[in-house]
Structure formats: structure tokens, C-alpha cells
Amino acid sequence: MSTRETTVDKSARRVQTMFGEIAPKYDFLNNLLSFGLAKRWRRRFVRTVFARLAERSEVSERLETLDVATGTGDVIAEETRQWTRRKLADKLGVREFRPVGVDFVPQMLALARKKVQAVEFVEADGCALPFDDERFDAVTISFGLRNMVDPAKGIAEMARVCRKEGVVAILEFSPTKFPLFAPLFRFYFHRVLPAIGERLMKNRSDAYRYLPESVDAFDSSEKVLEYMRAAGLKTPTRRAMTFGVLGMFVGVKE
Ligand SMILES: C[S@@+](CC[C@H](N)C(=O)[O-])C[C@H]1O[C@@H](n2cnc3c(N)ncnc32)[C@H](O)[C@@H]1O
């Protein structure tokens, strides 16, 4: 068994219903409840992915990325922004950039399609990706892995569709152990955030109660690194961000 026993219901049906309900307010709440930090986190995440891609010895004509559990497409929007602003075609020596997003909630994908046009968004389960082996140069997931019933399978799928020397990167919350900051954050995450979320959602969804519960119930960072190694990703690393509130995991496909 690859996942820890938890009392949190992470069944696909529950997760799909919940994200379907909050989809119209997802971006607004995400920004508000993270004090605008979510944008910065994704910016750093995408920067790191492109930096790792720049280290590769073999470069193809076209750069293809896959964002799993893409939601409203924020990671892809950030990739596209950086691609243009930072003139990455020249820096990476690639002519074309083609990102693809996957999510299993159609309401989230509808918003993603509006946000980033001319990008392929596919409705599929991250644990059974409908793509050939070794197709993508980079495969990312941000705030999606802890929702999966089997995160080890999710990581194995990401690694399967990633090319050799390609990058697999994960951004995910973790229960912070930072002295002084941890109790404050716990109070915010477990009390304040669900209260605001429920109020703004007019009690139509328990998503903001699920959020802290799913973070507490999620596998340890050591376990995530273990899943990455087992999936054939060499020397995976984890970097703590914002007082350990979240971690960025990066591995390169062997
Ligand atoms: C918290 S949102 C994160 C969205 C986006 N990545 C971001 O950074 O804002 C989690 C997303 O994961 C999706 N998701 C959860 N489990 C999934 C699975 N097994 N397959 C595909 N998508 C999944 C949900 O539908 C939801 O859109």
C-alpha cells in the first residue's frame, strides 16, 4: 500500500464534486486566502522548472510540458508568461513551446481554456494519463498530488510520460514544523481559512475544511522523495518554501 491510512475521504468522486463546486470562485479564494502568495509560489516553481530544463545536454526543437491537476491553468499561464517575457526560446535554444494541461474536473478545465487560449487541456485522471511514454520535457503538478488516492501512482505516471533528462516537479503544502510560526499557521489554516471559505461559498462546499485535513493526512516529504526515486527519478530534492508551509520537489528522469 503506497498511501498512508487516513480518515480523509479522497475518493475521486468526492474530490471531483468539491472542485466542481468551488471552480467559479477558485482563483479569487486562492488569491485571497494565500494573501497573494500562491502566484509567487507558482512563479518560483515555474522558474525552477525552466532553470532545470536549461541544464539539459540534449535539446529538442519543440518544448512540450504537461501540467497535471492543472485546475484553472495557473501553472500553464505562468509558463506562457515566462516563455514570452524571459525570451526563453533563445535561452533554451528551442523554437516552439507547447504546454498541455490535464484535470479530471470539467468546470476547472472550462476556466483554464478561457484563461490560456491555444493550449490543449485534456480531461483525464492524473493516475492514468492518456499520453505515450516519454513525450514531455517537463511534467508538473501544483497543489494536486495530495488530492490523489494514490500519490505514488500519480508520480509514477508523471515519470512515465516524461522524457529522459526531463524534469518532474511537484509543489505541495506540508504541515510546517517551523518554531513559533507553526502554531500561528495551524490556527490560520484550521480555523480562519475554513471559516472564510465557507462564508464566501455560502456553505455550499466543505473544500476549505478539506484543505487543512488533506494536508495533515498527506504523506511525509521523505515518502514523496521515495515515490520519486521508485518512479525512476534520480536524486530528487525537496526545498522548503515560506517557513515550510509548502515544499518544492524536483527530480530528473534517468
Ligand atoms: C487545489 S487545485 C490545484 C489547481 C492548480 N494546479 C493550481 O496550482 O492552482 C487541485 C486540482 O487537482 C485536480 N485533481 C485532483 N485529483 C486529480 C486527479 N486524480 N486527476 C486529475 N486532476 C485531479 C482537481 O480537480 C483540482 O482542479
Side-chain angles (χ1 to χ4, degrees):
M1 176 121 174
S2 52
T3 48
R4 227 168 42 173
E5 292 287 344
T6 82
T7 51
V8 181
D9 175 10
K10 296 205 288 179
S11 63
R13 198 198 296 183
R14 195 244 174 142
V15 173
Q16 282 170 309
T17 307
M18 201 172 59
F19 282 106
E21 283 166 352
I22 62 164
K25 290 220 170 104
Y26 179 80
D27 284 357
F28 170 73
L29 282 170
N30 200 255
N31 212 18
L32 177 82
L33 297 171
S34 72
F35 306 104
L37 283 170
K39 274 193 180 148
R40 284 221 227 158
W41 291 332
R42 288 192 205 92
R43 202 177 305 149
R44 200 163 144 200
F45 182 56
V46 169
R47 265 192 172 268
T48 304
V49 170
F50 281 131
R52 293 303 289 267
L53 284 173
E55 290 168 9
R56 288 186 312 173
S57 52
E58 258 184 56
V59 183
S60 43
E61 287 251 301
R62 182 205 287 165
L63 185 77
E64 284 194 288
T65 61
L66 176 70
D67 186 44
V68 181
T70 195
T72 62
D74 275 330
V75 166
I76 294 186
E78 182 55 33
E79 283 179 351
T80 321
R81 207 170 297 132
Q82 290 196 23
W83 179 261
T84 314
R85 285 220 184 128
R86 299 176 54 212
K87 298 189 173 52
L88 289 173
D90 296 340
K91 284 188 186 144
L92 297 174
V94 180
R95 275 229 286 257
E96 197 190 341
F97 172 48
R98 200 176 284 183
V100 177
V102 159
D103 202 286
F104 68 0
V105 172
Q107 295 94 322
M108 293 295 248
L109 288 175
L111 294 161
R113 289 187 185 108
K114 272 196 201 153
K115 188 181 290 174
V116 227
Q117 274 122 40
V119 167
E120 188 188 352
F121 285 103
V122 180
E123 190 182 324
D125 189 332
C127 290
L129 293 170
F131 304 109
D132 290 341
D133 295 357
E134 307 197 347
R135 166 169 164 188
F136 297 97
D137 297 280
V139 188
T140 54
I141 186 165
S142 88
F143 309 118
L145 190 67
R146 70 166 193 287
N147 301 304
M148 290 186 175
V149 187
D150 188 348
K153 175 78 178 124
I155 291 174
E157 274 295 88
M158 292 173 75
R160 179 183 66 76
V161 300
C162 186
R163 280 199 189 126
K164 288 202 169 66
E165 274 202 72
V167 178
V168 170
I170 302 164
L171 191 63
E172 192 50 272
F173 287 117
S174 54
T176 176
K177 297 189 182 81
F178 233 80
L180 299 177
F181 182 74
L184 260 179
F185 179 75
R186 235 188 126 64
F187 179 73
Y188 173 72
F189 215 48
H190 281 262
R191 298 290 173 89
V192 182
L193 187 142
I196 300 175
E198 269 168 32
R199 197 153 241 252
L200 291 173
M201 284 303 299
K202 300 191 172 64
N203 289 329
R204 278 199 304 268
S205 172
D206 63 352
Y208 289 88
R209 207 154 281 290
Y210 164 87
L211 174 58
E213 285 172 7
S214 63
V215 172
D216 280 352
F218 187 49
D219 293 308
S220 65
S221 301
E222 290 69 32
K223 266 259 171 264
V224 175
L225 291 168
E226 216 174 274
Y227 299 153
M228 292 176 84
R229 278 188 287 267
L233 302 168
K234 62 183 168 198
T235 53
T237 55
R238 177 191 187 267
R239 199 189 323 154
M241 289 164 66
T242 314
F243 302 111
V245 167
L246 66 163
M248 183 175 0
F249 300 84
V250 181
V252 172
K253 171 95 170 260
E254 287 190 269

